[in-house]
Amino acid sequence: MNFVPYNASIAKREPVGYRLLPMDRDTAEQVAQIEAQNFSHPWTLEMLEEELENPLSSFIVAYGSNGVVLGYAGLTVVAGEGYINNIAVRQEYRKQGVASALLGVFLKFGRAQNLSFLTLEVRPSNIAAKNLYMKHGFAQVGRRKDYYDDPKEDALIMTLDFRKEGEEPV
C-alpha cells in the first residue's frame, strides 16, 4: 500500500475507487482526522492504536486509489453481540456508497459469525445516518436520554436482530 498523508488538495468530489482494508498504524492517523472532523468527542490517535491490539475489535477503512482514507468503521464483539462504534466518511467523499460498503462488511461478518445482533447509537438529528441504518434493516429499539454532548442530544438505539431475519410476519 502506498500510504500518503491526507492532503485536502488531492481530495475531490468526483467518484474515486477504493478498497476495504483493516485499519493499521499507517491509516490510523487519517482515521483520527476523520474522527475529529465528524464527532464532538472524537477518539484520539492513541485510542485508535489501542484498538489495533484489542482482540474484540475490528476497524476497517475505505482506502482510496488516491492514497486517502475515505472513511472507516469500527466494531466490537462481546458474547456473540456486535456493537458498531462509529462509521464516518470524509465530507468530500460522502454520497458515494462508502458508508454503505463499510457497514455491509459488518453485516456479512455478523451473519457469518452467527452474532445475535448488531447495535449502535445515533443522534436523532443525523438523518443521513439513520436512513443508512434503516436501509440495511436496523430498527429503532430505544433511546438514551442526553447521551451526546456538544450539542446535548438523546441517542437513538438502533439494532439489527439477526435472530429475527427470515421469520415470517405474524
Side-chain angles (χ1 to χ4, degrees):
M1 169 176 3
N2 294 328
F3 174 72
V4 182
Y6 178 71
N7 180 333
S9 67
I10 62 173
K12 299 180 180 174
R13 285 198 161 274
E14 64 192 50
V16 65
Y18 59 87
R19 294 178 293 153
L20 300 178
L21 303 168
M23 181 180 75
D24 59 21
R25 293 201 185 283
D26 289 338
T27 55
E29 186 172 331
Q30 288 192 60
V31 170
Q33 291 172 354
I34 297 169
E35 269 283 310
Q37 293 169 354
N38 284 281
F39 301 104
S40 56
H41 296 284
W43 290 32
T44 65
L45 176 58
E46 293 76 24
M47 293 165 71
L48 291 163
E49 287 177 337
E50 285 177 14
E51 290 302 303
L52 292 172
E53 306 302 323
N54 183 348
L56 303 177
S57 291
S58 175
F59 279 72
I60 55 175
V61 299
Y63 188 79
S65 58
N66 58 359
V68 172
V69 174
L70 312 180
Y72 76 96
L75 173 72
T76 301
V77 176
V78 178
E81 302 169 355
Y83 177 78
I84 296 175
N85 302 301
N86 282 333
I87 297 178
V89 175
R90 289 187 192 276
Q91 185 172 355
E92 59 269 30
Y93 294 107
R94 292 182 184 161
K95 299 186 180 188
Q96 295 185 40
V98 175
S100 190
L102 290 163
L103 180 58
V105 169
F106 291 152
L107 297 177
K108 287 178 188 172
F109 173 84
R111 289 182 180 104
Q113 296 300 310
N114 294 314
L115 296 183
S116 297
F117 58 83
L118 292 178
T119 192
L120 55 88
E121 288 97 6
V122 63
R123 287 179 182 269
S125 62
N126 192 342
I127 304 301
K130 287 186 343 190
N131 288 340
L132 170 70
Y133 303 135
M134 287 188 297
K135 177 177 108 176
H136 285 279
F138 285 76
Q140 182 180 335
V141 297
R143 189 177 200 99
R144 296 190 200 284
K145 184 82 172 139
D146 296 332
Y147 182 79
Y148 293 106
D149 291 317
D150 302 324
K152 183 63 84 181
E153 191 171 2
D154 292 352
L156 302 179
I157 303 167
M158 297 188 76
T159 299
L160 174 60
D161 192 335
F162 294 122
R163 298 167 296 191
K164 293 184 179 181
E165 287 187 340
E167 287 183 3
E168 293 297 318
V170 180

